[in-house]
Amino acid sequence: MTVRKKIFTLIADADNTLYSWVDYIVPSLAAMVDTLVKNTGIERDRIVESIKKVFETYRTNEYAFALQKAKVFADLRGDIDWFKTHVIDPARYAFARQRRRNLKLYPGVRKTLHRLADQGIKIFVLSDAPAFSAEQRIKHLGIDNLISGLYALRSYPLPRLSQIDRAIINRIKTGYYRSRIRKVVELPLRLEKPNPGGLLTLLENEGLDPARSALVGDNPKKDIRVAQEAGVLDIWARYGTRVSPEIRQELNYYSASSIQKRNVVQEGETVEKPTHTIDRFDEILSILP
């Protein structure tokens, strides 16, 4: 009989593991585009395709300065103050409203994280999202105080200062965007999962024993693979792969295809054999010895 070692560390993927990235990003992008169509008179498909090219360039659907870069708005950016007031601000507010409504933790996540922390289990997040975006989502969800460290991909570069709202510059300077996460580490883009380098870096930096660590994630080809390669107990969050056909169709429309394939398990993908499978996050409590 094999006796499992006690687990002292839980490493969690973020998107579609702690919360539904899909259910949040689709209505947020849709609301933003609705506002842009209304305020600029530009045809919807042109706006979407132009913004998607920016997302593709910066490897994220949440590049905060997409409107300053999208070619479809080039003629409107001559008067930057007008562009900010009539285009950027309304679109940003529309996106933020939907984020507040739809960015929610999966059932059982908050209570389970609190319980694990009370038991002395350290909690880390390993994400393929840009570090800034991942940190902001965790902060908005109010679980940043429970996270010992966030390891995510290098954040996107900022545009020229002349293209950034002064209020945003002031917020950066005053630390407005900082969270209560104890440590935030930006990983090179080449360490995106399924490269195990990000997980191995986390384990080494934090002095963690792989045999006493567990990783939970929704993507078998990425999360489960790197956990198994690193000798970490793997837990497949199967609930994070369930996306309605309607939402998936909208995601295809608004999301850059390479980002969608990176962030969302695709229909018909072969599932690598996980050691454990859960259909609710709190089922972790019956797995960790």
Side-chain angles (χ1 to χ4, degrees), residues 2-10 115-122 208-214 231-233 284-285 287-289:
T2 301
V3 179
R4 287 185 295 173
K5 293 183 178 180
K6 180 175 176 58
I7 298 297
F8 293 122
T9 306
L10 176 67
R115 183 166 174 181
L116 293 175
D118 289 343
Q119 293 174 358
I121 293 178
K122 287 188 175 182
L208 302 176
D209 179 358
R212 294 186 179 275
S213 303
V232 170
L233 180 67
I284 283 177
L285 296 172
I287 295 173
L288 301 186

mmCIF file of all heavy atoms in Angstrom, residues 2-10 115-122 208-214 231-233 284-285 287-289:
data_model
loop_
_atom_site.group_PDB
_atom_site.id
_atom_site.type_symbol
_atom_site.label_atom_id
_atom_site.label_comp_id
_atom_site.label_asym_id
_atom_site.label_seq_id
_atom_site.Cartn_x
_atom_site.Cartn_y
_atom_site.Cartn_z
ATOM 1 N N THR A 2 0.608 2.176 -0.942
ATOM 2 C CA THR A 2 1.381 3.408 -1.038
ATOM 3 C C THR A 2 0.753 4.476 -0.140
ATOM 4 O O THR A 2 -0.442 4.748 -0.216
ATOM 5 C CB THR A 2 1.411 3.924 -2.492
ATOM 6 O OG1 THR A 2 1.983 2.906 -3.320
ATOM 7 C CG2 THR A 2 2.245 5.189 -2.575
ATOM 8 N N VAL A 3 1.577 5.053 0.710
ATOM 9 C CA VAL A 3 1.116 6.109 1.605
ATOM 10 C C VAL A 3 1.506 7.458 1.017
ATOM 11 O O VAL A 3 2.693 7.715 0.770
ATOM 12 C CB VAL A 3 1.722 5.953 3.011
ATOM 13 C CG1 VAL A 3 1.244 7.095 3.916
ATOM 14 C CG2 VAL A 3 1.337 4.602 3.601
ATOM 15 N N ARG A 4 0.534 8.286 0.746
ATOM 16 C CA ARG A 4 0.822 9.588 0.179
ATOM 17 C C ARG A 4 1.381 10.518 1.246
ATOM 18 O O ARG A 4 0.957 10.505 2.394
ATOM 19 C CB ARG A 4 -0.441 10.205 -0.413
ATOM 20 C CG ARG A 4 -0.900 9.565 -1.700
ATOM 21 C CD ARG A 4 -2.090 10.315 -2.271
ATOM 22 N NE ARG A 4 -3.255 10.225 -1.386
ATOM 23 C CZ ARG A 4 -4.385 10.890 -1.569
ATOM 24 N NH1 ARG A 4 -4.494 11.730 -2.576
ATOM 25 N NH2 ARG A 4 -5.399 10.741 -0.747
ATOM 26 N N LYS A 5 2.340 11.347 0.821
ATOM 27 C CA LYS A 5 2.897 12.327 1.734
ATOM 28 C C LYS A 5 1.900 13.470 1.923
ATOM 29 O O LYS A 5 1.108 13.769 1.056
ATOM 30 C CB LYS A 5 4.202 12.875 1.161
ATOM 31 C CG LYS A 5 5.332 11.858 1.080
ATOM 32 C CD LYS A 5 6.610 12.514 0.574
ATOM 33 C CE LYS A 5 7.747 11.512 0.536
ATOM 34 N NZ LYS A 5 9.013 12.133 0.044
ATOM 35 N N LYS A 6 1.988 14.080 3.098
ATOM 36 C CA LYS A 6 1.103 15.210 3.377
ATOM 37 C C LYS A 6 1.445 16.369 2.438
ATOM 38 O O LYS A 6 2.609 16.671 2.189
ATOM 39 C CB LYS A 6 1.254 15.656 4.837
ATOM 40 C CG LYS A 6 0.362 16.838 5.208
ATOM 41 C CD LYS A 6 0.471 17.151 6.674
ATOM 42 C CE LYS A 6 -0.358 18.398 7.015
ATOM 43 N NZ LYS A 6 -1.767 18.252 6.672
ATOM 44 N N ILE A 7 0.416 17.012 1.905
ATOM 45 C CA ILE A 7 0.589 18.139 1.004
ATOM 46 C C ILE A 7 0.664 19.434 1.808
ATOM 47 O O ILE A 7 -0.204 19.715 2.638
ATOM 48 C CB ILE A 7 -0.563 18.215 -0.016
ATOM 49 C CG1 ILE A 7 -0.587 16.961 -0.884
ATOM 50 C CG2 ILE A 7 -0.438 19.470 -0.882
ATOM 51 C CD1 ILE A 7 0.631 16.753 -1.747
ATOM 52 N N PHE A 8 1.709 20.203 1.557
ATOM 53 C CA PHE A 8 1.886 21.476 2.249
ATOM 54 C C PHE A 8 1.642 22.689 1.339
ATOM 55 O O PHE A 8 1.545 23.814 1.818
ATOM 56 C CB PHE A 8 3.305 21.575 2.831
ATOM 57 C CG PHE A 8 3.574 20.611 3.942
ATOM 58 C CD1 PHE A 8 4.605 19.692 3.844
ATOM 59 C CD2 PHE A 8 2.790 20.609 5.085
ATOM 60 C CE1 PHE A 8 4.866 18.806 4.870
ATOM 61 C CE2 PHE A 8 3.036 19.717 6.124
ATOM 62 C CZ PHE A 8 4.078 18.805 6.013
ATOM 63 N N THR A 9 1.560 22.442 0.031
ATOM 64 C CA THR A 9 1.417 23.552 -0.915
ATOM 65 C C THR A 9 0.415 23.208 -1.998
ATOM 66 O O THR A 9 0.462 22.126 -2.578
ATOM 67 C CB THR A 9 2.770 23.867 -1.589
ATOM 68 O OG1 THR A 9 3.762 24.093 -0.588
ATOM 69 C CG2 THR A 9 2.654 25.104 -2.477
ATOM 70 N N LEU A 10 -0.485 24.152 -2.293
ATOM 71 C CA LEU A 10 -1.390 24.022 -3.427
ATOM 72 C C LEU A 10 -1.031 25.096 -4.445
ATOM 73 O O LEU A 10 -0.983 26.285 -4.119
ATOM 74 C CB LEU A 10 -2.849 24.189 -3.006
ATOM 75 C CG LEU A 10 -3.853 24.151 -4.175
ATOM 76 C CD1 LEU A 10 -3.884 22.761 -4.811
ATOM 77 C CD2 LEU A 10 -5.249 24.554 -3.719
ATOM 78 N N ARG A 115 -10.015 27.701 4.141
ATOM 79 C CA ARG A 115 -9.812 26.501 4.957
ATOM 80 C C ARG A 115 -8.392 25.956 4.793
ATOM 81 O O ARG A 115 -7.751 25.577 5.777
ATOM 82 C CB ARG A 115 -10.838 25.433 4.571
ATOM 83 C CG ARG A 115 -10.756 24.176 5.424
ATOM 84 C CD ARG A 115 -11.975 23.314 5.231
ATOM 85 N NE ARG A 115 -11.854 22.042 5.924
ATOM 86 C CZ ARG A 115 -12.769 21.088 5.908
ATOM 87 N NH1 ARG A 115 -13.903 21.280 5.240
ATOM 88 N NH2 ARG A 115 -12.585 19.955 6.561
ATOM 89 N N LEU A 116 -7.896 25.929 3.578
ATOM 90 C CA LEU A 116 -6.533 25.452 3.337
ATOM 91 C C LEU A 116 -5.516 26.359 4.029
ATOM 92 O O LEU A 116 -4.552 25.873 4.634
ATOM 93 C CB LEU A 116 -6.253 25.397 1.836
ATOM 94 C CG LEU A 116 -7.047 24.362 1.042
ATOM 95 C CD1 LEU A 116 -6.759 24.519 -0.454
ATOM 96 C CD2 LEU A 116 -6.713 22.943 1.495
ATOM 97 N N ALA A 117 -5.739 27.671 3.927
ATOM 98 C CA ALA A 117 -4.825 28.616 4.584
ATOM 99 C C ALA A 117 -4.842 28.419 6.102
ATOM 100 O O ALA A 117 -3.790 28.471 6.754
ATOM 101 C CB ALA A 117 -5.211 30.045 4.224
ATOM 102 N N ASP A 118 -6.010 28.181 6.654
ATOM 103 C CA ASP A 118 -6.128 27.946 8.101
ATOM 104 C C ASP A 118 -5.396 26.673 8.515
ATOM 105 O O ASP A 118 -4.937 26.546 9.659
ATOM 106 C CB ASP A 118 -7.599 27.848 8.509
ATOM 107 C CG ASP A 118 -8.320 29.187 8.441
ATOM 108 O OD1 ASP A 118 -7.632 30.222 8.389
ATOM 109 O OD2 ASP A 118 -9.565 29.190 8.420
ATOM 110 N N GLN A 119 -5.287 25.725 7.585
ATOM 111 C CA GLN A 119 -4.576 24.464 7.862
ATOM 112 C C GLN A 119 -3.074 24.591 7.652
ATOM 113 O O GLN A 119 -2.339 23.629 7.841
ATOM 114 C CB GLN A 119 -5.124 23.355 6.958
ATOM 115 C CG GLN A 119 -6.564 22.959 7.254
ATOM 116 C CD GLN A 119 -7.114 21.955 6.246
ATOM 117 O OE1 GLN A 119 -6.432 21.579 5.285
ATOM 118 N NE2 GLN A 119 -8.345 21.532 6.453
ATOM 119 N N GLY A 120 -2.625 25.783 7.261
ATOM 120 C CA GLY A 120 -1.196 26.001 7.071
ATOM 121 C C GLY A 120 -0.682 25.637 5.698
ATOM 122 O O GLY A 120 0.532 25.590 5.467
ATOM 123 N N ILE A 121 -1.603 25.370 4.767
ATOM 124 C CA ILE A 121 -1.191 25.047 3.403
ATOM 125 C C ILE A 121 -0.961 26.353 2.635
ATOM 126 O O ILE A 121 -1.832 27.213 2.587
ATOM 127 C CB ILE A 121 -2.259 24.191 2.693
ATOM 128 C CG1 ILE A 121 -2.332 22.809 3.362
ATOM 129 C CG2 ILE A 121 -1.949 24.045 1.203
ATOM 130 C CD1 ILE A 121 -3.392 21.900 2.781
ATOM 131 N N LYS A 122 0.224 26.491 2.047
ATOM 132 C CA LYS A 122 0.526 27.678 1.256
ATOM 133 C C LYS A 122 -0.143 27.572 -0.109
ATOM 134 O O LYS A 122 -0.200 26.493 -0.699
ATOM 135 C CB LYS A 122 2.036 27.849 1.095
ATOM 136 C CG LYS A 122 2.746 28.313 2.353
ATOM 137 C CD LYS A 122 4.197 28.651 2.043
ATOM 138 C CE LYS A 122 4.888 29.246 3.261
ATOM 139 N NZ LYS A 122 6.296 29.616 2.946
ATOM 140 N N LEU A 208 10.112 24.602 -2.473
ATOM 141 C CA LEU A 208 9.014 23.659 -2.268
ATOM 142 C C LEU A 208 9.415 22.255 -2.704
ATOM 143 O O LEU A 208 10.124 22.074 -3.694
ATOM 144 C CB LEU A 208 7.783 24.101 -3.064
ATOM 145 C CG LEU A 208 7.246 25.508 -2.757
ATOM 146 C CD1 LEU A 208 6.086 25.840 -3.676
ATOM 147 C CD2 LEU A 208 6.823 25.607 -1.290
ATOM 148 N N ASP A 209 8.938 21.280 -1.974
ATOM 149 C CA ASP A 209 9.153 19.874 -2.301
ATOM 150 C C ASP A 209 8.046 19.436 -3.261
ATOM 151 O O ASP A 209 6.866 19.460 -2.888
ATOM 152 C CB ASP A 209 9.111 19.041 -1.019
ATOM 153 C CG ASP A 209 9.311 17.548 -1.275
ATOM 154 O OD1 ASP A 209 9.451 17.148 -2.450
ATOM 155 O OD2 ASP A 209 9.318 16.790 -0.286
ATOM 156 N N PRO A 210 8.383 19.033 -4.484
ATOM 157 C CA PRO A 210 7.338 18.607 -5.431
ATOM 158 C C PRO A 210 6.465 17.495 -4.865
ATOM 159 O O PRO A 210 5.247 17.473 -5.131
ATOM 160 C CB PRO A 210 8.141 18.122 -6.645
ATOM 161 C CG PRO A 210 9.433 18.851 -6.563
ATOM 162 C CD PRO A 210 9.727 18.994 -5.097
ATOM 163 N N ALA A 211 7.032 16.601 -4.110
ATOM 164 C CA ALA A 211 6.281 15.464 -3.569
ATOM 165 C C ALA A 211 5.275 15.897 -2.508
ATOM 166 O O ALA A 211 4.380 15.123 -2.149
ATOM 167 C CB ALA A 211 7.245 14.435 -2.979
ATOM 168 N N ARG A 212 5.408 17.111 -2.009
ATOM 169 C CA ARG A 212 4.467 17.616 -1.008
ATOM 170 C C ARG A 212 3.663 18.804 -1.555
ATOM 171 O O ARG A 212 3.177 19.638 -0.803
ATOM 172 C CB ARG A 212 5.214 18.013 0.262
ATOM 173 C CG ARG A 212 5.840 16.812 0.980
ATOM 174 C CD ARG A 212 6.445 17.201 2.306
ATOM 175 N NE ARG A 212 7.030 16.070 3.002
ATOM 176 C CZ ARG A 212 6.382 15.228 3.779
ATOM 177 N NH1 ARG A 212 5.074 15.394 3.971
ATOM 178 N NH2 ARG A 212 6.987 14.231 4.385
ATOM 179 N N SER A 213 3.581 18.846 -2.881
ATOM 180 C CA SER A 213 2.848 19.923 -3.543
ATOM 181 C C SER A 213 1.805 19.328 -4.478
ATOM 182 O O SER A 213 1.968 18.226 -4.993
ATOM 183 C CB SER A 213 3.801 20.818 -4.348
ATOM 184 O OG SER A 213 4.827 21.351 -3.523
ATOM 185 N N ALA A 214 0.724 20.082 -4.712
ATOM 186 C CA ALA A 214 -0.326 19.676 -5.644
ATOM 187 C C ALA A 214 -0.616 20.839 -6.579
ATOM 188 O O ALA A 214 -0.500 22.002 -6.188
ATOM 189 C CB ALA A 214 -1.590 19.271 -4.894
ATOM 190 N N GLY A 231 6.703 16.105 -11.077
ATOM 191 C CA GLY A 231 6.535 15.251 -9.907
ATOM 192 C C GLY A 231 5.601 15.817 -8.864
ATOM 193 O O GLY A 231 5.682 15.461 -7.679
ATOM 194 N N VAL A 232 4.679 16.698 -9.319
ATOM 195 C CA VAL A 232 3.698 17.313 -8.426
ATOM 196 C C VAL A 232 2.367 16.580 -8.579
ATOM 197 O O VAL A 232 2.002 16.176 -9.688
ATOM 198 C CB VAL A 232 3.534 18.815 -8.779
ATOM 199 C CG1 VAL A 232 2.355 19.432 -8.044
ATOM 200 C CG2 VAL A 232 4.823 19.565 -8.459
ATOM 201 N N LEU A 233 1.641 16.403 -7.496
ATOM 202 C CA LEU A 233 0.332 15.764 -7.553
ATOM 203 C C LEU A 233 -0.596 16.593 -8.446
ATOM 204 O O LEU A 233 -0.759 17.797 -8.233
ATOM 205 C CB LEU A 233 -0.278 15.657 -6.152
ATOM 206 C CG LEU A 233 -1.664 15.003 -6.058
ATOM 207 C CD1 LEU A 233 -1.581 13.525 -6.426
ATOM 208 C CD2 LEU A 233 -2.258 15.186 -4.666
ATOM 209 N N ILE A 284 -11.239 19.330 -3.658
ATOM 210 C CA ILE A 284 -9.806 19.243 -3.336
ATOM 211 C C ILE A 284 -9.605 18.800 -1.901
ATOM 212 O O ILE A 284 -8.645 18.101 -1.583
ATOM 213 C CB ILE A 284 -9.138 20.623 -3.576
ATOM 214 C CG1 ILE A 284 -8.930 20.858 -5.058
ATOM 215 C CG2 ILE A 284 -7.798 20.733 -2.847
ATOM 216 C CD1 ILE A 284 -8.338 22.215 -5.386
ATOM 217 N N LEU A 285 -10.507 19.208 -1.020
ATOM 218 C CA LEU A 285 -10.344 18.918 0.411
ATOM 219 C C LEU A 285 -10.343 17.417 0.707
ATOM 220 O O LEU A 285 -9.750 16.971 1.682
ATOM 221 C CB LEU A 285 -11.451 19.602 1.217
ATOM 222 C CG LEU A 285 -11.456 21.140 1.169
ATOM 223 C CD1 LEU A 285 -12.706 21.693 1.829
ATOM 224 C CD2 LEU A 285 -10.195 21.681 1.826
ATOM 225 N N ILE A 287 -8.994 15.265 -1.330
ATOM 226 C CA ILE A 287 -7.831 14.695 -2.014
ATOM 227 C C ILE A 287 -6.535 14.981 -1.266
ATOM 228 O O ILE A 287 -5.681 14.082 -1.157
ATOM 229 C CB ILE A 287 -7.723 15.289 -3.453
ATOM 230 C CG1 ILE A 287 -8.930 14.846 -4.287
ATOM 231 C CG2 ILE A 287 -6.422 14.847 -4.125
ATOM 232 C CD1 ILE A 287 -9.001 15.509 -5.651
ATOM 233 N N LEU A 288 -6.398 16.188 -0.751
ATOM 234 C CA LEU A 288 -5.149 16.540 -0.094
ATOM 235 C C LEU A 288 -5.061 15.860 1.264
ATOM 236 O O LEU A 288 -5.887 16.103 2.149
ATOM 237 C CB LEU A 288 -5.067 18.058 0.096
ATOM 238 C CG LEU A 288 -5.146 18.903 -1.179
ATOM 239 C CD1 LEU A 288 -4.902 20.363 -0.853
ATOM 240 C CD2 LEU A 288 -4.173 18.421 -2.232
ATOM 241 N N PRO A 289 -4.073 14.983 1.449
ATOM 242 C CA PRO A 289 -3.949 14.256 2.730
ATOM 243 C C PRO A 289 -3.389 15.158 3.818
ATOM 244 O O PRO A 289 -2.767 16.161 3.548
ATOM 245 C CB PRO A 289 -2.967 13.137 2.394
ATOM 246 C CG PRO A 289 -2.144 13.683 1.268
ATOM 247 C CD PRO A 289 -3.056 14.578 0.474
#
